[in-house]
């Protein structure tokens, strides 16, 4: 069979040489459906996506017709679903995306896969990743373990307490998150589990959700600060949440003897870390996630 294929290839090559016929360069249409065009985190993901595009075009001698679509803000989940539908209507070869609305995305993912579109998720998919949820409805999912993120945040929190000379015998930690979904809940629960196992004298508030709005996060943090006299710090599960919390901590002048840990990074978090209003940031490699997700989509 291999000899036959080789012979056919030789005939084609010879025919091409003698006839002067040339083959058109292969091209593929790939859409990056982002949860937020305004988010610095998803922009970092796109940097990786664009680099993979450039590298694979050069390596494989192909052209990728690339476009990016999606709502301005993460909380605009209905606009995200509409953008997903519009993306499928363009019949691209692949869609690279992330979702913060799992239930609404599942039927769209199934439809895209049934249409033959290569669908890859980056960072936020249809489950937590390790659970394999709805894996028949997509090609690949590139992510950081939310359990690991929460556990690392717990470790960083207790390390910062030790550095500040704070006792773990008593005190309250404020818990803040952007939205509630199955995957992101692991980021919160793993933090709670680590604190409970290693500092059982500490208590934690309920989870205050902000719908991924900085102003809501700041209001939540201000309410926590006003409500708990024994408050020793706060945990923020994503960068938008941490932005609002950092604003509240800075406004209240809570610096020495107060611990704050955030997830992901942006200018507000970095400034707060520099100025001492944020103790640590758990940073995902958004670039690598985007790169590997796009690379796989192209190769597939």
């Amino acid at each position: 069979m291999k000899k036959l294929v080789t012979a056919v290839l030789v005939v084609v090559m010879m025919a091409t040489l003698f006839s002067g016929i040339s083959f058109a360069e292969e091209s593929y249409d790939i859409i990056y459906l982002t949860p937020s065009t305004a988010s610095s985190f998803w922009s970092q993901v796109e940097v990786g996506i664009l680099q993979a595009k450039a590298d694979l075009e050069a390596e494989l001698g192909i052209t990728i017709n690339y476009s990016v679509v999606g709502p301005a803000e993460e909380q605009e989940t209905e606009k995200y679903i509409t953008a997903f539908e519009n993306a499928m209507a363009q019949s691209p070869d692949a869609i690279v995306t992330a979702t913060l609305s799992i239930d609404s995305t599942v039927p769209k993912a199934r439809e895209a896969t049934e249409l033959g579109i290569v669908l890859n998720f980056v960072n936020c998919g249809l489950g937590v990743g390790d659970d394999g949820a709805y894996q028949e409805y997509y090609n690949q999912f590139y992510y950081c373990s939310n359990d690991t993120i929460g556990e690392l945040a717990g470790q960083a929190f207790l390390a910062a307490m030790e550095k500040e000379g704070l006792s773990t015998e008593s005190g309250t930690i404020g818990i803040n998150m952007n939205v509630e979904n199955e995957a992101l809940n692991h980021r919160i629960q793993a933090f709670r589990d680590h604190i409970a196992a290693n500092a059982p004298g500490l208590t934690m508030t309920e989870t205050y959700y902000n719908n991924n709005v900085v102003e809501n996060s700041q209001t939540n943090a201000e309410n926590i600060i006003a409500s708990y006299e024994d408050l020793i710090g706060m945990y923020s599960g994503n960068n938008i949440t941490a932005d609002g919390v950092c604003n509240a901590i800075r406004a209240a002048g809570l610096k020495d003897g107060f611990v704050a840990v955030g997830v992901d990074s942006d200018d507000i978090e970095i400034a707060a870390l520099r100025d001492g209003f944020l103790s640590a940031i758990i940073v995902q490699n958004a670039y690598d996630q985007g790169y590997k997700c796009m690379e796989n989509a192209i190769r597939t």
Side-chain angles (χ1 to χ4, degrees):
M1 185 65 183
K2 289 184 179 179
K3 290 182 179 179
L4 177 60
V5 172
T6 302
V8 171
L9 287 175
V10 171
V11 171
V12 171
M13 289 171 67
M14 291 176 62
T16 301
L17 289 172
F18 286 110
S19 67
I21 297 172
S22 61
F23 292 103
E25 185 178 78
E26 288 184 278
S27 65
Y28 299 93
D29 300 329
I30 300 182
I31 297 173
Y32 172 38
L33 170 58
T34 175
S36 168
T37 57
S39 165
S40 61
F41 179 83
W42 299 115
S43 295
Q44 291 171 39
V45 169
E46 189 183 17
V47 173
I49 288 173
L50 291 173
Q51 189 59 56
K53 170 183 177 295
D55 290 350
L56 271 292
E57 283 180 323
E59 177 189 336
L60 302 176
I62 61 175
T63 297
I64 301 297
N65 301 312
Y66 172 82
S67 58
V68 55
V69 299
E73 303 293 344
E74 288 184 1
Q75 66 266 27
E76 297 177 304
T77 53
E78 290 186 5
K79 290 184 179 179
Y80 169 83
I81 295 300
T82 299
F84 203 141
E85 293 170 344
N86 292 338
M88 285 191 291
Q90 296 178 46
S91 300
D93 294 289
I95 295 175
V96 173
T97 190
T99 180
L100 294 174
S101 181
I102 295 175
D103 291 343
S104 298
T105 304
V106 168
K108 303 306 173 185
R110 179 178 58 198
E111 183 179 351
T113 299
E114 290 174 350
L115 289 171
I117 298 170
V118 174
L119 179 64
N120 281 3
F121 284 94
V122 56
N123 192 262
C124 295
L126 303 182
V128 301
D130 299 334
D131 61 351
Y134 303 107
Q135 60 185 2
E136 67 272 25
Y137 297 154
Y138 62 87
N139 179 56
Q140 289 290 337
F141 177 23
Y142 291 86
Y143 65 100
C144 285
S145 165
N146 283 301
D147 288 321
T148 301
I149 290 171
E151 183 178 359
L152 287 174
Q155 293 173 7
F157 195 97
L158 294 180
M161 284 189 68
E162 182 177 359
K163 183 178 179 180
E164 290 286 338
L166 297 174
S167 170
T168 59
E169 294 299 316
S170 64
T172 297
I173 304 172
I175 307 295
N176 301 275
M177 192 55 188
N178 58 338
V179 296
E180 183 175 7
N181 73 31
E182 182 183 356
L184 294 179
N185 286 347
H186 282 248
R187 195 178 295 185
I188 296 298
Q189 191 58 50
F191 176 86
R192 290 185 182 277
D193 291 345
H194 185 84
I195 297 297
N198 294 277
L202 300 178
T203 59
M204 289 166 275
T205 69
E206 64 180 290
T207 303
Y208 285 70
Y209 294 102
N210 57 66
N211 200 30
N212 226 57
V213 177
V214 173
E215 291 77 13
N216 292 348
S217 175
Q218 182 170 346
T219 298
N220 287 345
E222 290 169 347
N223 289 337
I224 292 173
I225 291 170
S227 301
Y228 295 89
E229 293 183 359
D230 64 342
L231 188 70
I232 58 169
M234 293 202 216
Y235 169 51
S236 305
N238 82 324
N239 63 310
I240 296 297
T241 301
D243 288 349
V245 170
C246 289
N247 290 342
I249 293 172
R250 188 184 290 272
L254 297 174
K255 192 172 185 179
D256 297 331
F258 193 85
V259 173
V261 173
V263 176
D264 301 331
S265 68
D266 56 28
D267 292 344
I268 293 177
E269 284 178 290
I270 292 169
L273 186 68
R274 178 197 63 211
D275 297 340
F277 294 104
L278 192 59
S279 307
I281 310 173
I282 309 303
V283 183
Q284 302 182 72
N285 194 328
Y287 173 91
D288 271 2
Q289 291 180 47
Y291 189 101
K292 292 180 183 298
C293 191
M294 183 65 160
E295 179 187 29
N296 176 271
I298 293 170
R299 292 192 187 281
T300 301

